[in-house]
Amino acid sequence: MKQNFINFLKNAFPFIAVIILWRLSVAFWNPAGILAIIPIFYSSFVKPVPWFAPFAVIFCFLIDYRFDSLVFWTVMYCLFYAINGFQNIIDLSRVDKNAINIFMIFFGISTLILSFMNFNFSNIIRAIWLFAWVSTLYIPITALIKKVCDDR
């Protein structure tokens, strides 16, 4: 019984991490729960979790809701999901460093597009800060997910 509960928590941890990071929304450190995009990306592309994609789409929509960005993050996630599904050159599950370079490309392009939608100096500075902060936190968050879910 105890082992079944531990296995359940290991399997549910990526889902729980997304919910917690989305709920811990703070204006400067985690605006609109954007840090939830890290476990969404990792559990969708690097270490795919069964039935995670529909959950990820829902939470991308919830990030959009808090960002007041219509369906921007949802579209970016679905677009990257489609690109990743159709390409066969890069296997993200075998890329080193938890695919941080690919994540930085995904998040950097998304943040750049979002900052150019309402172009001013303040938004560019916020976009640079957000990109640096989320990219820095990518390694510890993915390492935690990998450590907890390693025995699947």
Side-chain angles (χ1 to χ4, degrees):
M1 181 69 174
K2 181 181 174 184
Q3 190 63 31
N4 288 340
F5 183 70
I6 291 172
N7 286 336
F8 170 76
L9 287 179
K10 284 182 180 182
N11 292 331
F13 188 74
F15 298 93
I16 295 168
V18 169
I19 294 168
I20 290 172
L21 288 172
W22 179 75
R23 283 293 293 157
L24 292 176
S25 175
V26 179
F28 185 73
W29 299 107
N30 188 12
I34 193 64
L35 289 178
I37 206 79
I38 295 171
I40 287 172
F41 181 87
Y42 183 77
S43 299
S44 294
F45 304 115
V46 182
K47 297 286 182 193
V49 173
W51 294 99
F52 194 81
F55 180 80
V57 169
I58 290 169
F59 268 88
C60 285
F61 181 76
L62 290 174
I63 291 170
D64 284 326
Y65 175 74
R66 281 197 177 163
F67 250 121
D68 290 332
S69 61
L70 291 175
V71 290
F72 178 77
W73 289 104
T74 308
V75 168
M76 293 305 289
Y77 172 79
C78 291
L79 181 68
F80 194 80
Y81 194 85
I83 291 170
N84 186 49
F86 285 124
Q87 65 89 23
N88 58 4
I89 299 169
I90 301 171
D91 183 11
L92 292 180
S93 63
R94 295 176 192 231
V95 176
D96 61 341
K97 297 180 187 171
N98 295 339
I100 188 169
N101 297 334
I102 309 297
F103 175 76
M104 289 172 71
I105 291 169
F106 163 72
F107 193 74
I109 291 171
S110 301
T111 307
L112 186 67
I113 292 169
L114 194 60
S115 66
F116 281 137
M117 285 181 169
N118 187 12
F119 185 78
N120 62 30
F121 184 72
S122 176
N123 281 345
I124 297 297
I125 296 300
R126 266 191 222 109
I128 292 170
W129 159 251
L130 191 63
F131 175 75
W133 180 243
V134 172
S135 298
T136 301
L137 289 179
Y138 181 80
I139 294 292
I141 291 173
T142 57
L144 178 65
I145 293 171
K146 185 187 273 186
K147 181 98 171 145
V148 170
C149 301
D150 197 23
D151 297 333
R152 268 198 247 172

